[in-house]
């Protein structure tokens, strides 16, 4: 008669997050499953992307863009 050892099956799974990267801007840890961004070989966390790049981003001039489109259509 063969005895099956199923004690390991009854153990709870190890759900501890695995650290994958460090953010190059703030130094924070980025874990497996977290959103991160790679820009020119540098890794950024989602918070730094929101904070840093929204500050330096320029709002597009939609009125000027649409006016240029209308001007080209008139020619």
């Amino acid at each position: 008669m063969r005895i099956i050892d199923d004690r390991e099956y009854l153990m709870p799974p190890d759900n501890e997050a695995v650290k994958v990267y460090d953010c190059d801007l703030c130094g924070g840890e980025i874990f497996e499953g977290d959103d991160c961004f790679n820009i020119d070989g540098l890794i950024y966390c989602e918070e730094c992307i929101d904070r840093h790049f929204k500050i330096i981003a320029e709002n597009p001039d939609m009125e000027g863009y649409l006016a240029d489109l209308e001007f080209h259509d008139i020619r």
Side-chain angles (χ1 to χ4, degrees):
M1 177 179 228
R2 187 173 166 201
I3 298 175
I4 299 174
D5 184 12
D6 60 355
R7 287 178 286 181
E8 190 171 320
Y9 174 77
L10 298 174
M11 298 297 292
D14 181 19
N15 292 332
E16 188 173 326
V18 177
K19 179 181 146 186
V20 182
Y21 300 111
D22 286 326
C23 177
D24 289 319
L25 201 57
C26 71
E29 296 177 335
I30 300 171
F31 294 97
E32 187 177 47
D34 290 348
D35 289 334
C36 65
F37 303 89
N38 182 349
I39 301 174
D40 291 332
L42 299 174
I43 304 295
Y44 299 103
C45 66
E46 189 172 16
E47 291 176 19
C48 286
I49 288 289
D50 287 343
R51 193 175 331 125
H52 179 70
F53 289 104
K54 282 185 180 177
I55 290 172
I56 64 173
E58 297 178 9
N59 288 333
D61 180 19
M62 290 305 293
E63 291 178 14
Y65 176 73
L66 293 175
D68 287 343
L69 286 178
E70 291 175 7
F71 175 74
H72 290 296
D73 288 343
I74 294 173
R75 283 185 178 181

